[in-house]
Amino acid sequence: MKIPCRLLAAALVSLCLVAPARAHITPPVVLVSDRDAVVSLLAGARRFFVREVRLTAAEKQAIRQQTGWTPEDDFYRFYIGRDDQGRVVAATVFLTEFTIHGPVRVAVALGPDGKVKGATVVELTEETYPWVKPLLDRNFTREYVGRDARGTFAVSAGGGESMAQFYGQVVASLIQRAAALYETGVIKRGDAA
Amino acid sequence: MMNGWQLSRLPLSAKVFCTLFLVGIGCGALAAFVQASTAVGLSPTAVEASLAREMPMTQMQMHHGQMSGEKEITLGEISSAAKVWIRTPLLIQTSHTHLFGQTLIAGLLGLIFLFASVRESIKTLIVALPFVGTLLDIGGMWLTRFVSPSLSVLVIAGGTLFALGYALITVIALYDLWLRKERLA
């Protein structure tokens, strides 16, 4: 079959338009960038540090017993904010739970005493966003401020919406995990100062 | 032509069906283009940034057995882009949905193209492009994550092959469906 030149040109134009289109990924909804989350959660800090921690098997076991969750990442990264005198203002860690509807990622700020200072949902998915939005609108993560890893991290979505309840609990559990990680991987090692 | 069947000889309803299917897939590809550009980016570097494993920022990078490390950073070193970072569980989800979806699309495109009036060798080559592109695309994601970040180029190459296959199949099929003149015996 002989293909006319105009048709070949049209094929090439179509190719240019759609060529990279297959590099696609179903996109989660990113509510805030990592940098903005760190700046917001470490308010008052003048200098910023990264502390990366690999957990021992015993530390992983301790966290599992405390939270029911087993840390599996190769290492965990804490962004640490210090004041002008070098004292720790707070540390922020990002944790993700992979649900059937995609990832839910939370940034959690912890004080040097291991207590929650704040938390921000930084990423979820188009599907979960409508369920979580009512909780975000009422800034429900404030309820966990001041609690440490041994605290209660339950959520009340206000009744009626079971998916909101479910995802609220996912976020609450991530906050508790962050507190347990900081306590085990930083405070108990004597690295919180 | 396959067993005497040709796109140009299809009844009007079948021609409309094939045309709308091809147009619909084209629209989907354009939507995917926009989605990819906003969520991940369209360069190998952008794909690498979204897919490659996270590396330590501290001296732990050099000393794998080290249990902790700390260093001072500037805020500029923290990502300010609201870009998707694809971790392994999301990669699994993406792989299973897209391998099924893209293979089905490639199969339906190929099914239409089997009835195009093209030389068998060319038909074989073109019909394979979307399938090979799909495997390169998804396989490239895994290789980028677990073998080498530089293999992100395979994701772009896979997408390009899929698109090339789609474009060739669509142009040739539409030509056959609506413009090809029947040769009288």
Side-chain angles (χ1 to χ4, degrees):
Chain A
M1 176 186 142
K2 196 173 173 184
I3 301 170
C5 290
R6 270 182 291 184
L7 283 175
L8 272 179
L12 287 174
V13 169
S14 305
L15 174 63
C16 292
L17 284 173
V18 300
R22 306 310 305 164
H24 64 288
I25 294 297
T26 305
V29 176
V30 180
L31 298 172
V32 58
S33 74
D34 284 14
R35 185 189 300 171
D36 289 343
V38 167
V39 168
S40 160
L41 290 169
L42 299 185
R46 304 301 297 253
R47 298 168 68 193
F48 297 90
F49 295 78
V50 157
R51 169 162 281 273
E52 291 169 332
V53 174
R54 274 199 185 93
L55 298 171
T56 64
E59 287 171 333
K60 288 180 181 177
Q61 173 69 7
I63 290 172
R64 196 183 69 79
Q65 282 180 343
Q66 197 168 26
T67 66
W69 164 69
T70 306
E72 290 176 343
D73 286 1
D74 178 40
F75 67 91
Y76 289 90
R77 176 180 298 153
F78 295 91
Y79 293 97
I80 297 182
R82 298 181 193 270
D83 61 17
D84 285 329
Q85 282 72 47
R87 289 179 300 229
V88 173
V89 173
T92 294
V93 62
F94 293 82
L95 288 181
T96 305
E97 172 77 14
F98 294 92
T99 72
I100 193 167
H101 299 113
V104 176
R105 188 164 182 250
V106 174
V108 183
L110 300 141
D113 55 359
K115 290 183 176 169
V116 174
K117 290 190 78 173
T120 303
V121 177
V122 295
E123 180 185 320
L124 27 71
T125 65
E126 285 180 10
E127 200 167 6
T128 52
Y129 182 64
W131 295 322
V132 179
K133 189 171 184 306
L135 295 171
L136 298 178
D137 288 344
R138 72 166 215 241
N139 202 7
F140 82 114
T141 56
R142 263 188 322 201
E143 295 167 23
Y144 309 113
V145 171
R147 297 183 194 180
D148 62 18
R150 275 167 289 281
T152 304
F153 286 82
V155 67
S156 171
E161 181 54 85
S162 61
M163 293 311 287
Q165 176 76 29
F166 176 79
Y167 279 100
Q169 192 58 56
V170 167
V171 171
S173 298
L174 286 168
I175 296 171
Q176 185 184 23
R177 291 173 191 179
L181 263 181
Y182 189 67
E183 181 183 289
T184 303
V186 180
I187 294 177
K188 285 185 176 172
R189 288 184 181 184
D191 294 335
Chain B
M1 187 182 347
M2 201 167 96
N3 293 333
W5 286 80
Q6 286 178 288
L7 290 174
S8 57
R9 290 183 186 173
L10 289 178
L12 183 62
S13 59
K15 287 186 175 185
V16 168
F17 170 83
C18 292
T19 301
L20 291 179
F21 174 77
L22 293 168
V23 169
I25 293 297
C27 292
L30 284 174
F33 174 87
V34 175
Q35 189 185 45
S37 64
T38 54
V40 174
L42 300 172
S43 67
T45 310
V47 173
E48 182 181 323
S50 279
L51 280 163
R53 270 192 289 189
E54 190 175 33
M55 299 302 288
M57 293 171 75
T58 65
Q59 61 269 33
M60 285 207 314
Q61 190 168 3
M62 274 78 77
H63 309 287
H64 191 73
Q66 196 167 330
M67 298 311 284
S68 66
E70 183 170 323
K71 78 164 193 177
E72 187 164 6
I73 59 164
T74 62
L75 286 173
E77 292 176 70
I78 306 172
S79 171
S80 64
K83 288 285 182 184
V84 173
W85 179 45
I86 299 153
R87 287 131 292 186
T88 305
L90 185 57
L91 188 54
I92 294 168
Q93 284 182 345
T94 296
S95 298
H96 109 261
T97 53
H98 288 86
L99 278 171
F100 279 129
Q102 287 186 220
T103 305
L104 276 171
I105 291 170
L108 287 169
L109 288 173
L111 194 62
I112 291 174
F113 194 62
L114 288 178
F115 302 101
S117 302
V118 189
R119 234 187 5 235
E120 186 59 22
S121 57
I122 295 174
K123 190 185 286 185
T124 304
L125 185 69
I126 292 176
V127 85
L129 288 176
F131 291 101
V132 175
T134 297
L135 292 175
L136 264 184
D137 184 355
I138 306 298
M141 292 181 191
W142 285 89
L143 293 171
T144 300
R145 182 155 185 84
F146 291 108
V147 177
S148 167
S150 62
L151 293 173
S152 60
V153 71
L154 290 178
V155 178
I156 302 296
T160 303
L161 273 186
F162 189 99
L164 176 64
Y166 165 75
L168 289 171
I169 286 171
T170 299
V171 168
I172 294 169
L174 289 178
Y175 176 80
D176 273 18
L177 283 165
W178 299 108
L179 299 176
R180 174 172 288 281
K181 298 282 187 291
E182 290 285 342
R183 267 193 218 141
L184 295 174

